[in-house]
Amino acid sequence: MFTRRIALVSALGLALAASAVHAQAPSGKVTVVTSFSKDVTDPIKKAFEKAVPGVTLEVQNRNTNAGVKYLEETKANNQVDLFWASAPDAFEVLKGKKLLLAYKTKATGIPDKIGSYPINDPDGFYFGFAASGYGIMWNERYAKANKLPDPKDWQDLAKPIFYDHVSIASPARSGTTHLTIETILQGEGWEKGWRTIKEMAGNFRSITERSFGVPEAVNSGQVGVGIVIDFFAFSAQASGFPVKFVYPTVTTVVPANVGIIANAPNKAAAEAFIEFLLSPTGQEVLLDPGIRRLPVNPAVYAKAGADYPNPFTDPRFQKMIGFDVDKSETRTSVVDTLFDQLISFQLDALKGVTKTLHEVDAALAKKPNAQAKALADEARTLIAALPVTEAQAASPELRGAFTGGKEKGARQAELESQWASFARDNYAKAKAKAEEALKAAK
């Protein structure tokens, strides 16, 4: 009798334990807002649903800025479990607004840093799952047909030969492009960085709405050169497109991240997704030819090809600048708005004066002329001028114009109008100087 009672209790304990495990197993739908394209999300969704049976991943695709805004607007009635994107400063914004949930991951084998940048948020609100660098990709067939040299640095894209051959996405609508622009500003300094960006912009063919529009145009040969995040080029190469990629001297490597949204409706499944992304199995999915992102687990590179970039062993990554996420986060809206008002919305005027200056340079190469050179230098100074200093860009006054309540709308519109007028006036004056220089050079 006693033995039977022990056996019964033991069986009951096993049944309860099994029931508890079953009850704790994640199930149902887990919803993620992400800036990543289907080329990235589809293979990961398939692998995750296979690894965690009973859970379905619902993907809502929004660009980074739109995703952050959506999460802010829906926080009272949250239906989203995860945010999944490249830009670490976007996660800092969500963390600051208490829209992320702290979590302690069980993943092992992932170091503290990649290059000089921390992989995970030290407070546990978001986690790096892949690394990304920023640079230049180009179509070799297009380059050969148009006699374009291989670019190596950002300044190369400002050369006359690249006029009308370069494309970029708007940083206001692409988190990865914002990081590229911010990296140049941090690496070269505020004034020199904007000068470099504007000089490149004078050669732009187009400014796209989404980041993946740029590699698609380069892959198809619609444009020769694109300013992109590295994995766009790597996946294109793996798919057989005739493209090449280079990390410029001034660039950085930062983690792409994932974080659980506060009040997530399916917290258990959200945690399971993070654990999957950081597991060896999830990290290996990043090696898929259609994804080609850089895993944050160094051991996974043993399964990659010899030509696969490895930020943990490649000395190029150790030389990249240390990205200051706090500086970026304080001035994100200002930088993005400046880009649009000085470049995106004034592109025709900027291209017009740039083309004239290219003609001046060609004339001066044949026949030096001090007056023409001085006029061209004046034109370039007018183009490079900025309506705000670096200190003003990060000031509470300007930052408040792009955040907060009703009063911010009028102030934001006022600033946008001022900056647009500044650009129009300066480019018109620069155009006049450039035309005068061209006459003198001839």
Side-chain angles (χ1 to χ4, degrees), residues 7 68 90 103-104 109 117 137 151 174 182 231 249 251 321 323 328 391 419 436 441:
V68 170
Y103 173 65
K104 186 173 179 60
Y117 199 92
M137 73 179 286
S174 165
E182 182 63 49
F231 76 88
T249 304
T251 191
I321 72 163
F323 188 83
S328 177
W419 297 348
E436 190 179 348

Short mmCIF file of all heavy atoms in Angstrom, two decimals, residues 7 68 90 103-104 109 117 137 151 174 182 231 249 251 321 323 328 391 419 436 441:
data_model
loop_
_atom_site.label_atom_id
_atom_site.label_comp_id
_atom_site.label_asym_id
_atom_site.label_seq_id
_atom_site.Cartn_x
_atom_site.Cartn_y
_atom_site.Cartn_z
N ALA A 7 4.19 5.63 -5.46
CA ALA A 7 4.14 5.60 -6.93
C ALA A 7 3.08 6.57 -7.44
O ALA A 7 3.27 7.27 -8.43
CB ALA A 7 3.85 4.19 -7.42
N VAL A 68 8.53 53.82 -34.71
CA VAL A 68 8.62 54.45 -33.39
C VAL A 68 7.37 55.28 -33.13
O VAL A 68 6.77 55.22 -32.04
CB VAL A 68 9.89 55.34 -33.30
CG1 VAL A 68 9.86 56.19 -32.03
CG2 VAL A 68 11.14 54.46 -33.32
N ALA A 90 16.92 54.66 -32.24
CA ALA A 90 15.46 54.49 -32.18
C ALA A 90 15.06 53.72 -30.93
O ALA A 90 14.05 54.02 -30.28
CB ALA A 90 14.96 53.77 -33.43
N TYR A 103 14.52 42.71 -20.04
CA TYR A 103 14.50 41.25 -20.11
C TYR A 103 15.95 40.75 -19.97
O TYR A 103 16.88 41.41 -20.44
CB TYR A 103 13.90 40.79 -21.44
CG TYR A 103 13.99 39.30 -21.69
CD1 TYR A 103 13.30 38.40 -20.89
CD2 TYR A 103 14.77 38.80 -22.75
CE1 TYR A 103 13.39 37.03 -21.11
CE2 TYR A 103 14.85 37.43 -22.98
CZ TYR A 103 14.16 36.55 -22.17
OH TYR A 103 14.24 35.20 -22.38
N LYS A 104 16.13 39.62 -19.34
CA LYS A 104 17.47 39.04 -19.20
C LYS A 104 17.54 37.79 -20.09
O LYS A 104 16.91 36.78 -19.80
CB LYS A 104 17.74 38.67 -17.74
CG LYS A 104 19.17 38.19 -17.49
CD LYS A 104 19.42 37.99 -16.01
CE LYS A 104 20.83 37.48 -15.74
NZ LYS A 104 21.87 38.41 -16.23
N GLY A 109 27.74 32.93 -25.35
CA GLY A 109 28.69 32.99 -26.47
C GLY A 109 28.73 34.31 -27.20
O GLY A 109 29.44 34.44 -28.20
N TYR A 117 31.64 49.02 -30.14
CA TYR A 117 30.26 49.33 -29.76
C TYR A 117 29.64 48.21 -28.93
O TYR A 117 29.74 47.04 -29.29
CB TYR A 117 29.42 49.56 -31.03
CG TYR A 117 28.14 50.32 -30.76
CD1 TYR A 117 28.10 51.69 -30.88
CD2 TYR A 117 26.98 49.65 -30.38
CE1 TYR A 117 26.94 52.40 -30.62
CE2 TYR A 117 25.81 50.33 -30.12
CZ TYR A 117 25.80 51.71 -30.24
OH TYR A 117 24.64 52.40 -29.98
N MET A 137 28.03 50.75 -52.39
CA MET A 137 27.96 49.63 -53.32
C MET A 137 27.82 50.18 -54.74
O MET A 137 27.29 51.27 -54.94
CB MET A 137 26.80 48.68 -52.99
CG MET A 137 25.41 49.19 -53.30
SD MET A 137 24.08 47.98 -52.90
CE MET A 137 24.29 46.76 -54.22
N PRO A 151 34.91 53.54 -56.21
CA PRO A 151 34.99 54.50 -55.10
C PRO A 151 35.58 53.83 -53.87
O PRO A 151 35.42 52.62 -53.67
CB PRO A 151 33.53 54.88 -54.87
CG PRO A 151 32.75 53.67 -55.32
CD PRO A 151 33.53 53.08 -56.46
N SER A 174 14.52 56.37 -43.44
CA SER A 174 15.34 55.16 -43.35
C SER A 174 16.29 55.28 -42.17
O SER A 174 17.18 56.14 -42.15
CB SER A 174 16.16 54.98 -44.64
OG SER A 174 17.20 54.03 -44.45
N GLU A 182 24.72 60.29 -39.77
CA GLU A 182 25.22 60.61 -38.43
C GLU A 182 26.66 60.14 -38.25
O GLU A 182 27.47 60.82 -37.60
CB GLU A 182 24.31 59.97 -37.38
CG GLU A 182 24.68 60.26 -35.94
CD GLU A 182 24.62 61.73 -35.55
OE1 GLU A 182 23.59 62.38 -35.83
OE2 GLU A 182 25.61 62.22 -34.97
N PHE A 231 24.75 44.72 -45.67
CA PHE A 231 24.13 43.45 -46.04
C PHE A 231 23.34 43.52 -47.34
O PHE A 231 23.11 42.51 -47.99
CB PHE A 231 23.26 42.89 -44.90
CG PHE A 231 21.93 43.57 -44.71
CD1 PHE A 231 20.81 43.14 -45.41
CD2 PHE A 231 21.80 44.61 -43.81
CE1 PHE A 231 19.58 43.75 -45.22
CE2 PHE A 231 20.58 45.22 -43.61
CZ PHE A 231 19.47 44.80 -44.32
N THR A 249 36.67 55.06 -45.17
CA THR A 249 37.54 55.27 -44.01
C THR A 249 36.72 55.69 -42.80
O THR A 249 36.94 55.22 -41.68
CB THR A 249 38.60 56.35 -44.32
OG1 THR A 249 39.32 55.96 -45.48
CG2 THR A 249 39.55 56.51 -43.15
N THR A 251 33.50 55.29 -41.18
CA THR A 251 32.26 54.54 -41.05
C THR A 251 32.27 53.85 -39.70
O THR A 251 33.18 54.03 -38.90
CB THR A 251 32.07 53.53 -42.20
OG1 THR A 251 30.73 53.01 -42.16
CG2 THR A 251 33.04 52.37 -42.11
N ILE A 321 35.05 54.17 -36.51
CA ILE A 321 34.82 55.14 -35.43
C ILE A 321 33.88 54.57 -34.38
O ILE A 321 33.05 53.70 -34.67
CB ILE A 321 34.25 56.47 -35.97
CG1 ILE A 321 32.78 56.31 -36.41
CG2 ILE A 321 35.08 57.02 -37.09
CD1 ILE A 321 32.04 57.62 -36.55
N PHE A 323 30.73 54.92 -32.52
CA PHE A 323 29.48 55.64 -32.72
C PHE A 323 28.90 56.06 -31.37
O PHE A 323 28.78 55.25 -30.46
CB PHE A 323 28.49 54.77 -33.47
CG PHE A 323 27.24 55.47 -33.90
CD1 PHE A 323 27.21 56.22 -35.06
CD2 PHE A 323 26.08 55.39 -33.13
CE1 PHE A 323 26.05 56.87 -35.47
CE2 PHE A 323 24.92 56.04 -33.52
CZ PHE A 323 24.91 56.77 -34.69
N SER A 328 23.65 60.95 -31.18
CA SER A 328 22.73 60.74 -32.30
C SER A 328 21.28 60.90 -31.86
O SER A 328 20.47 61.55 -32.54
CB SER A 328 22.94 59.34 -32.90
OG SER A 328 22.03 59.09 -33.94
N ALA A 391 26.07 72.73 -31.60
CA ALA A 391 25.51 72.93 -30.26
C ALA A 391 24.02 73.23 -30.33
O ALA A 391 23.23 72.72 -29.52
CB ALA A 391 26.25 74.06 -29.55
N TRP A 419 14.96 77.03 -42.67
CA TRP A 419 16.07 76.27 -43.22
C TRP A 419 15.94 76.10 -44.74
O TRP A 419 16.94 76.13 -45.46
CB TRP A 419 16.16 74.90 -42.54
CG TRP A 419 16.46 75.02 -41.06
CD1 TRP A 419 16.87 76.13 -40.39
CD2 TRP A 419 16.35 73.99 -40.08
NE1 TRP A 419 17.03 75.88 -39.06
CE2 TRP A 419 16.71 74.56 -38.82
CE3 TRP A 419 15.97 72.65 -40.10
CZ2 TRP A 419 16.72 73.83 -37.64
CZ3 TRP A 419 15.97 71.92 -38.91
CH2 TRP A 419 16.35 72.50 -37.70
N GLU A 436 29.62 82.99 -62.82
CA GLU A 436 30.62 84.06 -63.01
C GLU A 436 32.02 83.43 -63.12
O GLU A 436 32.85 83.85 -63.95
CB GLU A 436 30.56 85.02 -61.82
CG GLU A 436 31.37 86.30 -62.00
CD GLU A 436 31.26 87.25 -60.83
OE1 GLU A 436 30.38 87.03 -59.96
OE2 GLU A 436 32.05 88.20 -60.77
N ALA A 441 36.71 81.61 -66.30
CA ALA A 441 37.60 80.49 -66.65
C ALA A 441 37.72 80.30 -68.14
O ALA A 441 38.73 79.78 -68.64
CB ALA A 441 37.08 79.21 -66.01
#
